[in-house]
Amino acid sequence: MEELVIRDADVVDGSGDSSYRADVVVDGGRIVSIVKEAAAAGCQRPKARRELDAEGLVLAPGFIDMHAHSDLALLRDPDHSAKAAQGVTLEVLGQDGLSYAPVDDRTLGEVRRAIAGWNGDGDDIDFDWRSVGEYLDRLDQGIAVNAAYLIPQGTVRALVVGWEDREATPAELDRMRQLVAEGMEQGAVGMSSGLTYTPGMYAKDAELTELCRVVARYGGYYCPHHRSYGAGALRAYEEMVTLTREADCPLHLAHATMNFGVNKGRAPELLALLDDALAAGADISLDTYPYTPGSTTLAAVLPSWAGEGGPEETLRRLADDATAERIRHHLEVTGSDGCHGVPMEWDTIEISGVGDPALGEYVGRTVQESAALRGESPWALARELLLKDRLRPSILQHVGHEENVREIMRHRVHTGGSDGILQGAKPHPRAYGTFPQYLGRYVRESGVLSLEECVAHLTSRPAARLRLADRGLVREGYRADLVLFDPRTVAAGSTFEQPRALPTGIPYVLVDGRFVIEDGRRTDVLAGRAVRRSPR
């Protein structure tokens, strides 16, 4: 007898088609049968060792978070309710060009310091891997949800070239190609870049194109955080489209937003650019989070020249008064490339986390607010925080536009990605709320998307980008990565005031046919594993 039958569920199967009522039978980690309208037809109903009454609940494929920063959180926190409670059954890691494989000892230390604001220092982690394959093997030891990995181009460049702003030599480019090829062979699904983050931003288009050719050869995709989301956003999007078409590599645009005042109401221009490229044969997808503010580290907004040489050189420059004044001028007057070419508006920068608890008084306030309380300039306060906390402060950037968010999420190549930073006392609520926010606010309350359409955006569409042949749909033979939610009550619990509050209306989540959320509570099941690239 099979393990589980989910009885009388309203199945929204991920295809975008209309829902139907069915009994769904799970065994051995897979969906073994789907009996539609069993009760109404009066036919023999399937039996199993356990029956779950799903009356009034929607059964859907587990959600796929196409942009996650859980690279260390999955190892540090076995509970990982931040994602499991949302119905997420697969996360894509290695984002924005900076992560923890492939590395050597030197590069690992540099990367840990550079992205401590994203993932913490990692002092509580045993970094017993160096290659992509070894990191994936570590995930295979058991994690809360499944995870796929993108080779981080900035880390690759740091390993081979260092943190200098210069072109790679032919020998260095060959070595980077080799590392990307090895990472793809070991199971990565593609490559990411952070082109407003050092050192990845020092790569010219020709270098990126060559690396994308390698990714394409293995059936992967390129996921860039491109060179501007502000003053040069449309130009930066077009650059990525042109580059990947030259490399014949699929393109997935990370957190594809149109932010800052210069881009208010300009989402249709972005979508027209993408539509033209799609009509010409380009292979493009994108992800967004359903909120207006962004989130990153405070150090990320500095001009690129301030980060040359790595984190220790950045701190040295900040400590020098004359150099710090140059940094301020770039930030406040000319518009730093780290801040997307837009002059800094300190009232939009809210400190969301610090590494040193002694600096906790600044969390939850904008830099401008804290500076006013102290009677000093915003830059003086920001500089002090960067130095005292050794580049670890994380921030919210209140620079988005609701009309742009809505326009982009309607697009036919859109997928969901939380871009969730789990560090800090007041992280962005998207880390805990992205997927129920889509279902609650943008389906039930606003009607921006239909339920069937939204589920497809969060399931089958990302599974297709990841080339996963047995995930993303409720189909016989597919993996039993499933979520059951109440469409009448599902909602994000997290807010900017209480960012770690869990969602409501998601009572059951299964990974590999095992309950990781049961009756609305996290079980002790660690059914997640590394999801490796499928052979072409």
Side-chain angles (χ1 to χ4, degrees):
M1 184 178 288
E2 280 79 16
E3 296 170 357
L4 171 69
V5 57
I6 302 170
R7 184 89 68 204
D8 291 324
D10 292 322
V11 178
V12 177
D13 67 5
S15 68
D17 294 339
S18 298
S19 65
Y20 58 86
R21 195 174 179 84
D23 293 350
V24 177
V25 181
V26 171
D27 192 67
R30 292 188 179 270
I31 300 167
V32 296
S33 67
I34 301 171
V35 182
K36 296 183 179 180
E37 302 291 351
C43 62
Q44 181 67 37
R45 305 193 72 174
K47 298 186 185 307
R49 289 193 293 275
R50 175 175 177 181
E51 295 188 6
L52 175 62
D53 181 4
E55 181 72 36
L57 298 178
V58 167
L59 174 66
F63 304 135
I64 298 176
D65 188 342
M66 286 295 286
H67 193 102
H69 288 286
S70 304
D71 307 49
L72 299 185
L74 277 166
L75 303 176
R76 173 186 297 121
D77 176 20
D79 181 80
H80 203 49
S81 288
K83 295 301 177 65
Q86 294 186 58
V88 171
T89 58
L90 171 60
E91 300 183 274
V92 184
L93 313 177
Q95 300 286 351
D96 295 332
L98 288 166
S99 189
Y100 306 94
V103 292
D104 58 14
D105 291 348
R106 170 189 61 82
T107 310
L108 176 60
E110 292 167 343
V111 169
R112 286 176 61 183
R113 289 192 294 276
I115 56 175
W118 295 355
N119 298 313
D121 293 323
D123 292 339
D124 52 349
I125 300 292
D126 179 10
F127 288 90
D128 57 354
W129 69 85
R130 292 296 180 269
S131 70
V132 170
E134 289 167 347
Y135 175 68
L136 298 179
D137 289 344
R138 176 71 178 276
L139 298 178
D140 276 339
Q141 294 176 21
I143 48 180
V145 302
N146 297 308
Y149 190 73
L150 295 165
I151 302 162
Q153 170 260 328
T155 299
V156 169
R157 198 173 211 273
L159 178 58
V160 176
V161 181
W163 296 72
E164 290 75 38
D165 183 2
R166 64 173 176 83
E167 292 190 28
T169 67
E172 288 168 338
L173 182 55
D174 283 344
R175 176 59 178 148
M176 286 191 283
R177 286 195 198 98
Q178 180 185 3
L179 286 168
V180 172
E182 289 173 356
M184 295 300 296
E185 289 168 358
Q186 291 164 9
V189 295
M191 181 180 75
S192 76
S193 283
L195 299 179
T196 65
Y197 300 135
T198 59
M201 68 191 305
Y202 299 141
K204 301 292 192 291
D205 285 3
E207 178 181 314
L208 297 171
T209 301
E210 288 303 307
L211 299 183
C212 283
R213 292 187 200 279
V214 177
V215 172
R217 193 165 71 240
Y218 286 93
Y221 68 94
Y222 182 44
C223 180
H225 164 129
H226 50 275
R227 297 192 193 274
S228 176
Y229 290 82
L234 288 173
R235 185 169 61 253
Y237 281 115
E238 186 173 14
E239 175 191 10
M240 294 299 100
V241 171
T242 301
L243 185 157
T244 49
R245 296 208 71 188
E246 173 68 21
D248 196 23
C249 182
L251 172 64
H252 180 84
L253 294 165
H255 37 60
T257 57
M258 292 288 287
N259 286 341
F260 301 92
V262 294
N263 290 317
K264 184 176 175 60
R266 299 188 70 188
E269 296 176 58
L270 166 62
L271 300 180
L273 185 159
L274 299 183
D275 284 337
D276 288 346
L278 289 162
D283 183 355
I284 302 173
S285 56
L286 59 86
D287 66 68
T288 69
Y289 46 84
Y291 298 86
T292 53
S295 180
T296 186
T297 62
L298 183 58
V301 304
L302 301 177
S304 58
W305 59 263
E308 186 177 1
E312 293 304 317
E313 285 299 301
T314 303
L315 289 166
R316 184 187 62 77
R317 292 184 181 103
L318 286 166
D320 178 76
D321 289 343
T323 309
E325 174 56 23
R326 284 184 60 210
I327 293 173
R328 184 205 63 78
H329 184 82
H330 274 256
L331 279 171
E332 297 183 348
V333 180
T334 64
S336 158
D337 51 0
C339 198
H340 310 279
V342 177
M344 178 59 69
E345 297 173 331
W346 291 109
D347 61 340
T348 69
I349 304 297
E350 177 185 347
I351 302 299
S352 59
V354 291
D356 183 353
L359 300 172
E361 65 183 286
Y362 301 105
V363 173
R365 293 202 296 255
T366 68
V367 171
Q368 186 156 307
E369 288 171 338
S370 291
L373 288 172
R374 292 182 49 167
E376 60 187 25
S377 74
W379 168 241
L381 177 71
R383 178 189 177 192
E384 181 179 337
L385 281 174
L386 287 165
L387 285 167
K388 285 186 174 180
D389 209 32
R390 297 189 60 79
L391 310 183
R392 291 179 295 181
S394 53
I395 61 171
L396 302 182
Q397 262 184 304
H398 295 273
V399 292
H401 309 286
E402 179 67 18
E403 65 270 38
N404 286 347
V405 170
R406 293 181 179 224
E407 284 287 334
I408 294 169
M409 75 169 64
R410 291 187 182 104
H411 198 270
R412 66 187 186 279
V413 300
H414 169 266
T415 68
S418 70
D419 194 14
I421 295 174
L422 301 170
Q423 290 296 118
K426 293 190 71 175
H428 197 303
R430 68 193 185 191
Y432 285 74
T434 284
F435 295 86
Q437 178 85 337
Y438 271 117
L439 297 168
R441 180 175 182 184
Y442 290 99
V443 172
R444 184 182 62 248
E445 296 175 8
S446 304
V448 175
L449 298 169
S450 71
L451 178 59
E452 290 84 358
E453 184 182 14
C454 184
V455 169
H457 285 217
L458 307 180
T459 60
S460 64
R461 195 173 291 173
R465 167 53 72 216
L466 295 168
R467 300 179 67 245
L468 303 177
D470 60 355
R471 300 177 196 264
L473 292 166
V474 179
R475 291 281 192 275
E476 292 181 355
Y478 273 55
R479 295 271 186 179
D481 293 346
L482 302 168
V483 57
L484 288 116
F485 62 89
D486 186 338
R488 299 160 299 184
T489 62
V490 62
S494 59
T495 64
F496 288 98
E497 292 71 33
Q498 294 183 304
R500 287 192 169 87
L502 296 180
T504 57
I506 305 179
Y508 300 100
V509 180
L510 294 89
V511 173
D512 201 34
R514 302 167 65 192
F515 286 95
V516 297
I517 299 292
E518 188 170 9
D519 295 324
R521 291 184 291 274
R522 179 73 172 94
T523 70
D524 60 0
V525 169
L526 295 176
R529 298 293 184 270
V531 175
R532 291 167 170 81
R533 177 190 56 84
S534 300
R536 294 197 74 167

